[in-house]
């Protein structure tokens, strides 16, 4: 396959603004009058003339700054022609050129890539394809043409496995570039595949090109080498040098990268990477340093207090680096978890003395001291919101002041002189406080503490304000009876006296519980609490507490002085007795149609009975089906009222009965009915008339009487009563006898009453017991009872769960018999679901711990928790890291299904293994490009770190080496990241140099600082040679003249000829 490039894409980078270098130099003004005149630019150089008219053909325009600077722009659209020989064509049907599958493929390629395709047939039946479009579109179209219109061949190339990643490139960019460039498909085996063969498919020409490019990449990598040296850890500081100076120089001299593990990593392996010659040179130099130090260095061991080790180390190990820099001696400090106090100094014998002096100086530069101060004074020393202490710490910020609760001392730590000053200040404060303050402790039973505090702290706050003292009452969980009073000596004694008086008064108090039925509580309290207020006013020292109505409790609590409580108890008992006496009630059944007669016209009858019997009589509402009239009051009065109401009903029934009998007599042929006289008290009624009529009337009357007798409430009918006599509740002695309130009375004809009884029995709820494990009860009840309410609503039953303290497994279901079976099945089904959930919960509660060094925890968590969240979601587990105060800071707990927990542990372990394989390399990047590499809000450096999977740390402001950048990650990633960073540095530094060069034209340059400070003479302005006004007697243009330099829009006047030449308007 062959290709012809008609046009190529070029950028605008070449078309930069400014003069050409050789002309730019000539355009810079001179800095002093002493320069040669020849060095001044000519007028034509400084102000090149514009062409007045186009030049004839064949005449070349004279080059000047206007014409030579700007180059013609080239089109961004390119055209390439591809030729597919006949033997390689995939579609060879000559009769369907421009039609069929080949045409469809071309249309699809144009649609996908945006390029334009034109096909033509050559004499040799080969296919010529012209592709036009932007560069990227043409390259993509080319790849599509090769793969879809040309037959494919394949080949393999073998290169070392470790070189494959260089063929792939960063994020696969190199591989994509190769495939586009060669119009081939390149398949690289996966990392776990041991094969080193790379498969290439495409045209013969593309295969050869791809093969060649891959072998070139491999050959380039063959020149590089990686070596590892095992050097004793104690000699690493001499190889790195103070502040990594030595290792930096080694890398600069040899060109190799040298990675020395940091002091915190207990590894002896040093990794050197680079060209083979560079690596060999670096190894030789490192060996030389190592052997020299091993031969000449000696050690001395000194004892330094463990508490002073941190002062020898310094912030971030800077003090150790400082000693190494000054003396060339390495100071070895035992680990923090070791109890050893031995510090080892290693170096040249003549330098050990100086190093030892510096170690002791650093160790003794800080001191720890303590000030004796009673613990109760600590908060006064600190002051309100730390004000007192803030004054001291502002003056001596390097001194750390520590107060330990319960200890009578204050610990000071910091520079020796500063500690001495602070110690004197605190001792003076302590002496002053002891002289004017006192404290005391009193013993009060904890049960009285809340009463001493008062509602909302009212009592204790009053005492504090009144006596200007501080009172500490221990919290309930301490179960201590000691109350501490601190403050002014006189105030302390007065507060003590008052608190003891209050406690003594409380010890003399008595608490008594009265049993009063809850139905009387509202009556005792009265409307808006008026009645109970009267009682409290009468007994002001007694506190009366009624239970919450929701508790359904009968206990009323009285608390106060013994005698007052007794008086109040008797008073309330008398009040309750009167209420009980007046609360007797009786229910009387009266036919509904007679209620209006009992009420009377305008309520006259009922009002009269109420007044005369001194009772309360309640009748049911008109729309109610109830026939019961309730009478409340004293028992005797209630009986009298009941008899009067029954007498009214009896008279009404008698009159009604007489009317019914007369109606029957008329109905059966005018039978004469004779009633007995009232005085005779006889129950006989005489019927006279035809025999048949009398018999029929008699039969009808007896039926009516039977019906009335069965329905009519009599004096002997059961009457519902409620009340107490002589303060005792009337209850049957035999518990088997049902209470009157549990009896339902039915009146009517026998067969109807029996049917009603059966119907009522069907409505009587029944109960069934279901055994449910006690531990499942709370799940059945649900949150705020939602679960059990749902079941009760669904099955129309009542479900009773036993109280928690009973620990019972029996749940009772009450409801209609027809609903019970369904409710029981639903409950058992819910139990099965809960048991399944419980089993699943137990499986999900599998716990696993993994030991990971705390320094790796942030890396496992990831930025904003991204990594750990992904592991949690992927494996459906809960991962808990240790809290700050936990003993085992290296333990990570994983909770979930066992297989998920194991998978999560393996995922974390894989991250840890990767982190342990990581190395750190220091590179030198010019600090001028740091900000540009980091980017706005760190976007640039985050992108680099994400792309290369490394961590990049830039030096802090004020660092010893502002150009030192540390890259941490896996060796291969670190190498790639460093290459990328160095490339960016080279690119950005070119811009920096260019900008600096531009700035030279924008501001006057001075040869030396002294020349800048010399007094300047009057400015000569911009001086040029061979100006138009210098050839004749003309004067230079007057810059202040409006004629020479007219304003825009100003009127133009004919003036004298100008050095600028004739004016053209």
């Amino acid at each position: 396959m062959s290709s012809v490039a008609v046009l190529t894409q070029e950028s605008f980078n070449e078309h930069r603004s400014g003069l050409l270098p050789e002309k730019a130099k000539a355009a810079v003004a001179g800095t002093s009058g002493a320069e040669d005149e020849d060095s001044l630019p000519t007028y034509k150089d400084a102000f090149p003339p514009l062409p007045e008219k186009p030049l004839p053909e064949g005449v070349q325009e004279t080059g000047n700054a206007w014409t030579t600077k700007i180059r013609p722009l080239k089109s961004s659209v390119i055209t390439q022609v591809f030729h597919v020989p006949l033997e390689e064509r995939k579609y060879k049907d000559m009769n369907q050129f421009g039609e069929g599958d080949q045409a469809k493929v071309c249309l699809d390629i144009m649609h996908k890539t945006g390029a334009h395709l034109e096909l033509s047939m050559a004499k040799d039946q080969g296919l010529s394809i012209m592709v036009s479009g932007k560069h990227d579109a043409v390259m993509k179209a080319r790849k599509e043409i090769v793969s879809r219109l040309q037959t494919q061949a394949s080949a393999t190339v073998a290169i070392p496995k470790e070189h494959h990643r260089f063929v792939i490139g960063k994020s696969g960019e190199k591989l994509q570039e190769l495939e586009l460039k060669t119009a081939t498909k390149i398949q690289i085996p996966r990392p776990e595949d041991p094969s080193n063969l790379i498969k290439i498919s495409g045209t013969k020409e593309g295969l050869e090109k791809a093969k060649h490019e891959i072998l070139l990449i491999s050959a380039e990598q063959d020149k590089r080498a990686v070596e590892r040296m095992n050097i004793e850890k104690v000699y690493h500081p001499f190889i790195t040098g103070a502040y990594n100076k030595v290792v930096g120089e080694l890398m600069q001299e040899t060109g190799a990268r040298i990675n020395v593990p940091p002091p915190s990593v207990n590894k002896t392996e040093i990794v050197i990477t680079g060209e083979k010659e560079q690596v060999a040179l670096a190894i030789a130099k490192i060996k030389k340093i190592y052997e020299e130090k091993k031969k000449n260095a000696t050690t001395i061991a000194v004892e330094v207090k463990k508490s002073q080790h941190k002062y020898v180390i310094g912030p971030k190990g800077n003090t150790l680096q400082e000693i190494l820099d000054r003396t060339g001696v390495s100071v070895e400090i035992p680990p923090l978890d070791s109890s050893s106090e031995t510090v080892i100094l290693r170096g040249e014998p003549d330098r050990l003395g100086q190093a030892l002096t510096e170690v002791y100086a650093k160790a003794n530069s800080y001191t720890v001291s303590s000030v004796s101060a009673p613990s109760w004074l600590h908060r006064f020393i600190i002051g309100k919101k730390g004000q007192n202490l803030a004054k001291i710490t502002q003056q001596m910020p390097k001194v750390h002041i520590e107060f330990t609760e319960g200890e009578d001392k204050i610990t000071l730590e910091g520079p020796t002189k500063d500690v001495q000053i602070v110690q004197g200040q605190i001792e003076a404060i302590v002496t002053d406080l002891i002289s004017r303050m006192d404290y005391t402790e009193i013993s009060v039973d904890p049960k009285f503490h809340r009463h001493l505090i008062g509602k909302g702290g009212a009592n204790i706050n009053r005492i504090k304000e009144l006596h200007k003292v501080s009172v500490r009452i221990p919290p309930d969980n301490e179960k201590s009876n000691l109350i501490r009073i601190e403050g002014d000596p006189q105030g302390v004694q007065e507060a003590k006296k008052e608190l003891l008086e209050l406690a003594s008064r409380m010890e003399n108090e008595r608490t008594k519980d009265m049993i009063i039925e809850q139905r009387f509580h509202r009556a005792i309290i009265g409307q808006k609490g008026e009645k109970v207020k009267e009682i409290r006013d009468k007994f002001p020292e007694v506190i009366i507490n009624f239970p919450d109505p929701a508790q359904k409790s009968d206990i009323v609590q009285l608390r106060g002085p013994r005698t007052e409580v007794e008086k109040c108890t008797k008073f309330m008992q008398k009040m309750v007795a009167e209420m009980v006496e007046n609360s007797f009630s009786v229910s009387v059944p009266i036919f509904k149609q007679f209620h209006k007669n009992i009420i009377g016209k305008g309520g006259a009858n009922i009002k009269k009975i109420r007044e005369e019997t001194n009772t309360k009589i309640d009748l049911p509402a008109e729309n109610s089906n109830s026939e019961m009239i309730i009478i409340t009051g004293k028992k005797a009065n209630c009986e009298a009222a009941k008899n009067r109401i029954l007498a009214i009903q009896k008279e009404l029934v008698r009159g009604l009965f007489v009317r019914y009998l007369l109606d029957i007599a008329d109905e059966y042929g005018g039978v004469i009915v004779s009633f007995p006289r009232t005085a005779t008290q006889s129950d006989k009624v005489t019927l006279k008339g035809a025999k048949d009529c009398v018999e029929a009337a008699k039969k009808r009357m007896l039926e009516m009487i039977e019906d009335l007798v069965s329905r009519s409430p009599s004096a002997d009918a059961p009457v519902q009563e409620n009340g107490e006599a002589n303060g005792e509740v009337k209850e049957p002695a035999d518990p088997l006898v049902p209470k009157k309130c549990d009896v339902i009375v039915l009146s009517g004809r026998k067969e109807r009453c029996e049917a009603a009884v059966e119907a009522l029995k069907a409505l009587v709820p029944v109960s069934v017991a279901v055994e449910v494990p006690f531990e499942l009860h709370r799940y059945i009840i649900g949150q705020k009872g939602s679960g059990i309410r749902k079941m009760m609503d669904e099955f129309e039953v009542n479900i009773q769960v036993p109280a928690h303290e009973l620990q019972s497994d029996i749940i009772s279901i009450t409801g209609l018999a027809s609903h019970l079976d369904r409710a029981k099945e639903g409950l058992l089904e819910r139990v099965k679901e809960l048991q399944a959930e419980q089993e699943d919960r137990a499986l999900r509660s599998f716990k696993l711990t993994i030991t990971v060094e705390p320094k790796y925890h942030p890396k496992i968590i990831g930025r904003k928790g991204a990594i750990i969240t992904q592991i949690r979601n992927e494996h459906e587990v809960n991962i808990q890291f240790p809290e700050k105060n936990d003993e085992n800071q290296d333990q990570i707990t994983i909770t979930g299904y066992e297989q998920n927990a194991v998978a999560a542990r393996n995922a974390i372990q894989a991250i840890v293994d990767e982190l342990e394989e990581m190395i750190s390399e220091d590179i030198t990047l010019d600090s001028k490009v740091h900000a540009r590499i980091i980017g706005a809000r760190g976007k640039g450096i985050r992108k680099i770190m994400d792309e290369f999977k490394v961590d990049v740390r830039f030096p802090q402001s004020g660092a010893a080496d502002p150009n030192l950048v540390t890259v941490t990650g896996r060796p291969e990633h670190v190498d790639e990241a460093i290459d990328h960073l160095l490339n960016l540095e080279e690119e950005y530094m070119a811009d920096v140099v260019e900008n600096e060069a531009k700035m030279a034209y924008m501001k006057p340059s001075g040869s030396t600082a002294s020349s800048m400070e010399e007094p300047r003479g009057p400015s000569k302005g911009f001086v040029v040679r061979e100006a138009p006004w210098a050839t004749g007697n003309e004067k230079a243009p007057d810059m202040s003249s409006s004629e020479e330099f007219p304003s825009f829009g100003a009127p133009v006047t004919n003036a004298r000829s100008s050095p600028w030449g004739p004016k053209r308007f």
Side-chain angles (χ1 to χ4, degrees), residues 470-487:
S470 171
V471 182
R472 184 188 180 278
I473 297 177
D476 294 340
N477 56 358
E478 285 188 17
K479 296 181 180 178
S480 171
N481 60 353
L482 288 179
I483 295 176
R484 188 182 183 91
I485 309 167
E486 300 167 354

Side-chain angles (χ1 to χ4, degrees), residues 303-314:
E303 297 295 317
V304 178
K305 288 182 181 178
K306 192 75 177 176
S307 60
Q308 294 177 314
H309 285 189
K310 58 184 177 181
Y311 308 131
V312 178
I313 297 170

Side-chain angles (χ1 to χ4, degrees), residues 388-402:
N388 297 345
L389 207 60
K391 294 176 184 176
I392 299 172
T393 53
Q394 284 172 3
Q395 295 172 357
M396 302 292 174
K398 293 184 179 180
V399 179
H400 175 67
I401 305 171
E402 185 177 347

Side-chain angles (χ1 to χ4, degrees), residues 143-163:
K143 185 179 176 184
E144 290 285 328
I145 289 166
V146 168
S147 64
R148 299 176 68 178
L149 295 181
Q150 198 166 358
T151 56
Q152 302 291 299
S154 64
T156 58
V157 59
I159 63 171
K161 185 80 174 175
E162 58 269 20
H163 295 173

